[in-house]
Amino acid sequence: MAKTTPTEFIRQVQAETRKVVWPTWKETRMTAIMVVIMTAMLGLFFFTIDAFFDAIVNLLLNLAK
């Protein structure tokens, strides 16, 4: 593999950066809203599952007394 000089490396990085398609503010906002909604839904789901298993474990422990 050929060695690259620091100057050539910087030029390559700049060339690759120009190819990046940056999202618009609207896309960024919508993505952030979707992440918050999905995080809340998953939090509620795991809270429900955890409460269900907690109730089962407490029931079994009370039966063992």
Side-chain angles (χ1 to χ4, degrees), residues 1-58:
M1 186 166 191
K3 297 225 177 202
T4 306
T5 64
T7 312
E8 182 61 28
F9 176 75
I10 297 294
R11 278 192 221 121
Q12 290 175 357
V13 169
Q14 288 173 339
E16 291 298 320
T17 304
R18 281 188 222 104
K19 296 177 187 178
V20 174
V21 178
W22 299 100
T24 63
W25 281 111
K26 183 178 179 182
E27 292 171 334
T28 304
R29 207 172 21 248
M30 289 302 296
T31 303
I33 290 169
M34 291 305 295
V35 167
V36 169
I37 290 170
M38 290 303 294
T39 302
M41 288 173 56
L42 282 171
L44 183 62
F45 171 75
F46 285 119
F47 175 78
T48 304
I49 296 297
D50 183 53
F52 175 73
F53 283 117
D54 183 51
I56 291 174
V57 169
N58 283 332

